[in-house]
């Protein structure tokens, strides 16, 4: 099993050697007997929900909200599944749609498409109801829910991305379940995600999750719309998203759902490129996570990478360095032995970089040692270079990271 990871590629050490508890034992993946002509199907018996340590579960609007109210029985059953995973030391995050749908139900708005400002106002009402609904469902299992509202810009603008990731990571450290929703009160048509599918994929990559579960109106991907074509074939496994796979996507299936299979395929691209497996499964049944574990029909999108290797490849080859840190010989040895870069080992700071930017790390002879994401702005890095991490508070006036560059955000060259 690949080593599980936390946000930003951090390796999760806890529970690696623990044997699965009762609920985890129930959540082993048993694939149904599916025969699909002309499709190469890998042996998914090697996958199990117990293999995944950080799981993002996306829930669509039409699953949570019925004609005019929350489906409390269904949500209670899903909360049971989440509690089972949580109790077995898995990190679970929920990306929940439903704010606009709940708001329009509370406000008794008419059916049909809403104007942008009406959707935003409905979301303002619905977000309160949605947060209360998840809080009550999870509190029955003594689990704390933490609401996180995000927009596309929060996942693409570097500083806001880092702040959102830090918030999510702290909630998980406290064993809370982050409940994440698009901030539709400030979102516009240009920046809103389709039905939160792509948002869920961005959250999964932000959080370093190794599995994304999309609970949907449909039980996976078909080669044609199953509602219109009785001969449509179900696709149990997608090893790689090709043009042919993209061509199988259809349109949205209900008024409450803004997304369709197209947004789910887009989510699959985002997730698998970042080293996160994804599964699309029906949420139209009680205990949907348990059903996936017991072999209910679904579609798995596989990745050959993992969040750590995908992230480090991105750092090494895709980011333009904004500055340089020159370090002493002791720090060079520490980095090559797998340790983080501390301020004490830095002897020179060059460039105008911001927290989270990529920097080149050079040894005292000027040779490149590696590249990484720096935890401080250039001005603050200059102030704390050569100093003990214990002095950061007194120098900067706030408690920052102990490391200048954490080892999980660092790629060290060979040699």
């Amino acid at each position: 099993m690949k080593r599980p990871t936390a946000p930003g590629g951090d390796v999760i050490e806890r529970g690696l050697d623990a044997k699965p508890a009762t609920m985890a034992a129930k959540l082993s993946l048993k694939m149904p007997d599916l025969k699909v002509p002309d499709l190469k199907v890998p042996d998914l018996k090697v996958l199990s929900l117990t293999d995944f340590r950080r799981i993002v579960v996306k829930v669509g609007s039409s699953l949570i909200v019925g004609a005019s109210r929350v489906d409390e029985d269904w949500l209670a059953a899903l909360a049971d599944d989440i509690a089972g995973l949580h109790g077995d030391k898995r990190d679970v995050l929920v990306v929940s749609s439903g704010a606009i749908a709940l708001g329009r139900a509370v406000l008794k708005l008419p059916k049909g498409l809403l104007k942008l400002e009406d959707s935003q106002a409905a979301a303002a009402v619905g977000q309160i109801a949605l947060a209360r609904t998840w809080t009550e469902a999870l509190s029955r299992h003594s689990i704390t829910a933490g609401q996180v509202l995000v927009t596309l810009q929060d996942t693409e603008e570097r500083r806001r991305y880092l702040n959102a990731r830090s918030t999510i990571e702290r909630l998980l450290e406290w064993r809370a379940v982050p409940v994440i929703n698009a901030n539709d009160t400030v979102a516009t048509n240009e920046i809103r995600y389709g039905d939160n599918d792509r948002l869920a994929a961005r959250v999964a990559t932000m959080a370093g999750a190794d599995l994304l579960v999309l609970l949907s109106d449909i039980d996976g991907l078909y080669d044609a719309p199953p509602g219109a074509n009785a001969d449509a074939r179900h696709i149990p496994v997608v090893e790689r998203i090709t043009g042919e796979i993209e061509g199988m996507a259809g349109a949205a299936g209900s008024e409450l759902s803004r997304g369709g299979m197209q947004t789910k395929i887009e989510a699959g691209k985002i997730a698998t490129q970042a080293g996160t497996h994804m599964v699309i499964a029906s949420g139209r049944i009680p205990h949907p996570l348990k059903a996936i574990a017991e072999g209910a029909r679904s579609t798995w999108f596989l990745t050959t990478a993992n969040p750590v290797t995908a992230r480090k490849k991105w750092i090494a080859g895709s980011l333009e360095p904004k500055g340089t840190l020159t370090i002493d010989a002791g720090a060079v040895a520490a980095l090559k032995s797998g340790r983080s870069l501390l301020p004490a080992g830095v002897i020179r700071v060059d460039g105008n970089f911001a927290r989270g930017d990529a920097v080149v790390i050079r040894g005292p002879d000027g040779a490149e040692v590696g590249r990484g994401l720096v935890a401080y702005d250039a001005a603050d890095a200059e102030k704390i270079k050569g100093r003990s991490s214990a002095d950061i508070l007194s120098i900067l006036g706030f408690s920052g990271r102990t490391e200048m560059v954490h080892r999980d955000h660092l790629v060290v060259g060979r040699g």
Side-chain angles (χ1 to χ4, degrees):
M1 184 181 80
K2 296 184 177 76
R3 299 186 78 193
T5 58
D10 298 354
V11 176
I12 302 173
E13 300 292 350
R14 66 176 181 275
L16 287 179
D17 298 321
K19 297 206 177 198
T22 306
M23 182 63 182
K26 291 179 183 176
L27 292 176
S28 227
L29 181 62
K30 300 173 186 174
M31 290 303 296
D33 242 347
L34 293 174
K35 294 183 180 178
V36 183
D38 305 320
L39 289 175
K40 181 183 177 184
V41 180
D43 181 9
L44 286 188
K45 291 179 181 178
V46 299
L47 286 179
S48 166
L49 291 188
T50 59
D51 290 335
F52 302 107
R53 298 293 175 171
R54 183 160 288 184
I55 302 170
V56 174
V57 180
K58 184 265 177 181
V59 184
S61 298
S62 60
L63 298 179
I64 293 181
V65 185
S68 60
R69 64 182 182 85
V70 173
D71 188 340
E72 295 181 356
D73 291 340
W74 180 87
L75 189 60
L78 176 61
D80 287 345
D81 291 353
I82 292 172
L85 293 169
H86 185 272
D88 288 321
K89 307 304 181 186
R90 269 79 187 162
D91 291 334
V92 182
L93 302 85
V94 174
V95 174
S96 177
S97 302
I100 294 176
L102 274 175
R104 74 185 297 164
V106 172
L107 295 167
K108 297 180 172 55
L109 299 179
K111 292 183 178 181
L113 293 176
L114 296 176
K115 295 179 181 178
L116 175 61
E117 57 268 28
D118 293 339
S119 293
Q120 292 172 325
V125 174
Q127 281 167 356
I128 296 173
L130 187 65
R132 182 175 63 248
T133 296
W134 278 105
T135 297
E136 291 173 353
L138 293 171
S139 67
R140 296 188 186 101
H141 300 276
S142 300
I143 297 173
T144 301
Q147 185 185 41
V148 182
L149 298 176
V150 298
T151 66
L152 181 149
Q153 290 178 333
D154 294 322
T155 66
E156 295 190 344
E157 199 277 316
R158 186 69 191 157
R159 187 174 292 274
R160 290 161 69 174
Y161 171 96
L162 291 170
N163 290 337
R165 189 180 70 183
S166 296
T167 298
I168 290 170
E169 176 62 14
R170 186 53 54 91
L171 287 170
L172 293 172
E173 287 176 3
W174 290 341
R175 299 300 296 148
V177 170
V179 178
I180 299 149
N181 193 9
N183 193 357
D184 287 323
T185 58
V186 298
T188 66
N189 285 332
E190 289 77 22
I191 67 171
R192 185 182 298 152
Y193 284 97
D195 196 33
N196 284 355
D197 292 320
R198 285 171 289 180
L199 174 61
R202 293 289 187 190
V203 168
T205 62
M206 179 191 296
D210 43 11
L211 178 64
L212 169 61
V213 179
L214 299 183
L215 297 179
S216 176
D217 296 329
I218 193 169
D219 56 6
L221 176 66
Y222 287 78
D223 65 355
N229 189 338
D231 296 324
R233 297 182 305 165
H234 178 262
I235 313 297
V237 184
V238 175
E239 293 185 87
R240 187 168 62 89
I241 297 175
T242 62
E244 181 182 6
I245 293 296
E246 292 184 78
M248 296 176 185
S254 74
E255 179 185 345
L256 293 175
S257 172
R258 289 200 302 264
M261 190 56 68
Q262 290 178 341
T263 64
K264 290 171 177 54
I265 297 299
E266 289 299 318
K269 285 190 200 174
I270 294 167
T272 55
Q273 287 172 4
T276 301
H277 295 286
M278 188 181 87
V279 59
I280 300 173
S282 174
R284 291 291 185 193
I285 53 177
H287 299 283
L289 298 181
K290 184 179 178 182
I292 294 171
E294 292 178 346
R297 175 172 283 195
S298 58
T299 298
W300 284 81
F301 293 75
L302 306 183
T303 178
T304 56
N306 64 57
V308 172
T309 57
R311 182 173 177 78
K312 294 208 171 189
K313 182 178 179 181
W314 172 66
I315 292 171
S318 301
L319 293 180
E320 178 185 355
K322 301 296 185 181
T324 301
L325 301 178
T326 303
I327 62 177
D328 60 30
V332 172
L335 265 55
K336 289 186 175 181
S337 67
R339 301 176 69 180
S340 299
L341 175 61
L342 303 180
V346 179
I347 57 179
R348 179 172 172 173
V349 175
D350 294 293
N352 184 24
F353 52 82
R355 170 179 167 244
D357 280 343
V359 293
V360 174
I361 301 170
R362 299 188 182 278
D365 60 355
E368 182 172 330
V369 176
R371 299 187 178 204
L373 304 182
V374 66
Y376 291 92
D377 296 341
D380 289 338
E382 179 67 34
K383 293 175 184 176
I384 63 175
K385 72 179 183 184
R387 302 293 295 270
S388 168
S389 298
D391 297 332
I392 292 175
L393 176 59
S394 62
I395 296 171
L396 300 181
F398 62 89
S399 295
R401 292 290 298 263
T402 301
E403 310 86 1
M404 185 82 80
V405 179
H406 193 278
R407 65 181 181 180
D408 292 323
H409 304 159
L410 175 69
V411 181
V412 178
R414 296 179 181 176

